[in-house]
Amino acid sequence: MSTQYTNTIYLIRHGENLANVTGEFSYKRIDYSLTAKGVLQAQQTAAHLHEWHIDEFFSSPLKRARETAEIIAEPHHLPVTLFEEFRELNVGDLEDAAPTAENWDYHNNILAQWYHGHLDVSFPNGESFLTLTERGKRGLHKVTWGKQGRVIAIAGHAAIFTALVSAICGPESLETIRRGKKHNCSISEIELTTSEHDVVGRLVQWAACTHLSGEAANFVPAVPEFKKQSAGTEEVTQVR
């Protein structure tokens, strides 16, 4: 009989940082701190989670995630442990490219190929869906193996959380994930079962953000908007 452990995982997207505003691709070289709004979002999230029981905090090493985790963990008097496995999607050569509509369209076309089942398609010198989710699963396995009934919070990023949850929570989770917007400091909850060689999740809640209010709820679009000229007028379009 194989050994299994079950724990609750909160996946918390980081607060707003400059790359959200500029639309820059940010995997490793681009690494901004939170904006003032991002700090406010993290503070409101900390207030919301203050009375929740959380045993451990982990984070992506990127500043925006680490700073978010530290703000949320402070009322719990718990340290934040950084895990390379929770870093954002490696977009490869795109990180050195300008955040233009064309480059975002290229980015989103790769995600569309993943959506249609071409999971081995990679960003040039970057990751595929398969390598991204395997990395994330390794991280989840490391933070849960040998633990039972723990509540674990992880601060990280929209792309890796979306791919990871869709990979481990089964096809029944996909429609919920597709409908939900992954705003800054949104909270997702999964019940995670860890065995010796795998992790399997059950999605409890996806990308909840009703705890944010005022300026903190004035969200920057997850996908940048670009202006174009059409029939003599200026229109705003969103690259998808």
Side-chain angles (χ1 to χ4, degrees):
M1 183 175 179
S2 63
T3 302
Q4 292 186 333
Y5 303 96
T6 301
N7 298 277
T8 296
I9 308 294
Y10 296 134
L11 301 175
I12 306 171
R13 189 185 175 207
H14 60 80
E16 182 188 275
N17 77 112
L18 182 60
N20 295 136
V21 179
T22 63
E24 291 172 87
F25 301 101
S26 177
Y27 157 69
K28 182 175 285 188
R29 185 180 61 79
I30 303 295
D31 187 15
Y32 295 124
S33 291
L34 297 175
T35 62
K37 187 199 297 183
V39 172
L40 179 62
Q41 290 168 335
Q43 290 171 337
Q44 289 189 5
T45 305
H48 175 65
L49 296 177
H50 176 66
E51 299 298 328
W52 295 25
H53 175 76
I54 300 176
D55 294 299
E56 299 174 78
F57 284 87
F58 296 90
S59 175
S60 155
L62 288 164
K63 291 176 184 176
R64 58 191 185 273
R66 175 176 54 80
E67 292 170 4
T68 299
E70 289 172 347
I71 291 170
I72 297 172
E74 194 278 332
H76 298 267
H77 307 289
L78 290 171
V80 174
T81 303
L82 305 184
F83 263 63
E84 182 66 26
E85 286 87 350
F86 300 134
R87 183 181 291 276
E88 182 56 299
L89 163 66
N90 181 357
V91 295
D93 296 342
L94 272 183
E95 190 171 23
D96 293 316
T100 62
E102 291 76 17
N103 285 331
W104 270 99
D105 189 49
Y106 180 79
H107 168 279
N108 294 335
N109 282 336
I110 291 179
L111 299 191
Q113 291 184 69
W114 294 357
Y115 175 84
H116 290 290
H118 304 292
L119 305 183
D120 58 346
V121 174
S122 297
F123 286 87
N125 294 312
E127 289 179 306
S128 68
F129 179 91
L130 295 176
T131 54
L132 172 64
T133 54
E134 283 304 311
R135 168 163 65 86
K137 289 168 68 175
R138 284 197 307 273
L140 288 177
H141 196 278
K142 287 181 180 179
V143 303
T144 57
W145 178 248
K147 301 173 184 177
Q148 177 64 33
R150 304 282 281 179
V151 180
I152 298 170
I154 302 171
H157 310 274
I160 186 172
F161 283 169
T162 301
L164 189 54
V165 172
S166 67
I168 68 174
C169 290
E172 63 273 13
S173 67
L174 295 180
E175 189 56 34
T176 299
I177 294 170
R178 291 166 187 159
R179 288 199 313 265
K181 294 184 177 181
K182 303 172 290 295
H183 291 306
N184 291 114
C185 275
S186 59
I187 303 170
S188 299
E189 178 183 348
I190 57 176
E191 181 182 280
L192 191 75
T193 299
T194 304
S195 59
E196 185 176 0
H197 299 295
D198 201 10
V199 292
V200 177
R202 181 180 68 86
L203 182 61
V204 178
Q205 176 178 262
W206 176 249
C209 58
T210 55
H211 60 283
L212 300 174
S213 62
E215 179 61 17
N218 182 18
F219 300 113
V220 174
V223 176
E225 294 180 341
F226 296 92
K227 293 181 179 180
K228 71 174 184 179
Q229 296 294 326
S230 178
T233 61
E234 190 172 65
E235 296 180 349
V236 175
T237 61
Q238 191 172 50
V239 175
R240 297 187 183 276

